[in-house]
């Protein structure tokens, strides 16, 4: 990998990972990484870097930030961070960005689980989740509509991958190992019925039927209090 956004924005330099000290450079790189392979117009970069009012020299400043980013990532000839008419394009391989690698591994893990290969699914999904540096993407990028939407989408994908990995662990007979993890996740994501269902399955499969029923009663109470509704037919 060359770039990381599943946590703070970082680039690989001389075999190690380096953060980007200047906030505006970091914002430019983050937007280009989120739209890797696409041409991002200079005007769009300006609106992200200066959301309220851009300085008269904004176009020149963006070009300076891009030049410095090229030096940082060892791309002095502009073969990765390419100048295009009216904007810039970041050309990255399929595994150059951690978020893209995460998406690929999670999809492969889902496919393995659907095919009934729980051990392989657990391996792939664990590798995918291991790419995260914390629980939220783009943690050091100033918030904006684009950044917030991207971070929320990646967080949703992380939780979905966690559910799949726990499902795979259950398929491998690791019921007792995932109960504590599920309780911890539910403390933060109380309305995710998929997590409640996995907890009920893990408890029931461990011979703890009374606790499984208690978990369902708790789920029903939480959903009723928060949403004023009953649990889905699937959870019931």
């Amino acid at each position: 990998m060359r770039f990381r956004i599943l946590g703070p924005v970082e680039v690989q330099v001389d075999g190690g990972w380096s953060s980007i000290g200047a906030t505006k450079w970091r914002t430019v790189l983050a937007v280009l990484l989120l739209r890797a392979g696409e041409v991002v117009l200079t005007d769009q970069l300006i609106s992200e870097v200066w959301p309220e009012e851009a300085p008269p020299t904004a176009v020149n400043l963006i070009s300076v930030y891009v030049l410095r980013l090229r030096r940082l990532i060892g791309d002095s000839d502009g073969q990765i961070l390419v100048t295009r008419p009216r904007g810039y394009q970041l050309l990255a391989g399929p595994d150059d960005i951690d978020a893209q690698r995460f998406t690929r591994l999670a999809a492969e893990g889902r496919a393995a689980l659907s095919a009934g290969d729980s051990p392989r699914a657990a391996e792939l999904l664990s590798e995918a989740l291991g790419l995260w540096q914390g629980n939220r993407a783009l943690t050091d990028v100033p918030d904006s509509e684009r950044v917030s939407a991207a971070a929320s989408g990646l967080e949703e994908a992380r939780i979905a991958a966690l559910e799949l990995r726990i499902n795979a662990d259950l398929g491998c007979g690791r019921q007792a190992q995932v109960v504590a993890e599920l309780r911890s996740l539910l403390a933060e994501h109380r309305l995710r019925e998929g997590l409640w269902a996995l907890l009920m399955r893990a408890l029931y499969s461990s011979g703890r039927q009374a606790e499984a029923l208690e978990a369902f009663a708790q789920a029903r109470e939480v959903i009723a209090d928060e949403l004023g509704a009953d649990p889905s037919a699937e959870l019931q």
Side-chain angles (χ1 to χ4, degrees), residues 30-221:
V31 174
L32 290 167
L33 288 170
L34 288 172
R35 296 181 57 187
E38 302 176 29
V39 175
V40 181
L41 299 181
T42 300
D43 287 348
Q44 294 171 330
L45 292 172
I46 290 172
S47 68
E48 291 290 330
V49 174
W50 296 280
E52 295 182 1
E53 183 176 357
T57 57
V59 172
N60 288 336
L61 286 171
I62 291 293
S63 68
V64 170
Y65 300 159
V66 168
L67 178 63
R68 290 175 177 173
L69 286 169
R70 283 178 179 148
R71 290 174 181 168
L72 180 64
I73 65 176
D75 180 40
S76 57
D77 55 356
Q79 297 300 303
I80 297 170
L81 212 173
V82 183
T83 300
R84 300 296 188 197
R86 300 176 57 207
Y88 301 91
Q89 181 182 25
L90 193 145
L91 300 177
D95 276 351
D96 279 349
I97 304 172
D98 61 353
Q100 292 185 353
R101 186 173 181 181
F102 165 78
T103 299
R104 176 180 63 78
L105 289 168
E108 291 176 3
R110 183 188 295 273
L113 189 61
S114 297
D117 190 348
S118 293
R120 178 60 176 159
E123 179 184 350
L124 288 164
L125 290 160
S126 294
E127 185 180 351
L129 291 163
L131 296 171
W132 283 77
Q133 314 295 311
N135 295 337
R136 186 165 178 81
L138 303 162
T139 53
D140 57 352
V141 180
D143 203 18
S144 70
E145 185 175 346
R146 182 188 302 279
V147 169
S148 179
S152 296
L154 288 166
E155 167 65 1
E156 176 64 26
R158 186 184 73 85
I159 298 298
L162 264 172
E163 291 184 358
L164 289 170
R165 199 224 74 222
I166 293 171
N167 211 327
D169 282 343
L170 290 176
C172 295
R174 300 169 186 151
Q175 288 84 350
Q177 298 175 29
V178 301
V179 169
E181 181 181 10
L182 283 164
R183 291 196 188 281
S184 177
L185 287 168
L186 281 164
E188 185 177 355
H189 305 281
R190 289 159 47 89
L191 296 177
R192 288 194 76 98
E193 291 195 6
L195 292 175
W196 286 110
L198 287 168
L199 177 60
M200 291 159 58
R201 281 182 54 200
L203 290 167
Y204 185 84
S205 300
S206 301
R208 299 156 68 178
Q209 290 89 341
E211 290 181 65
L213 288 170
E214 183 181 342
F216 174 70
Q218 187 179 359
R220 181 168 53 190
E221 181 180 354

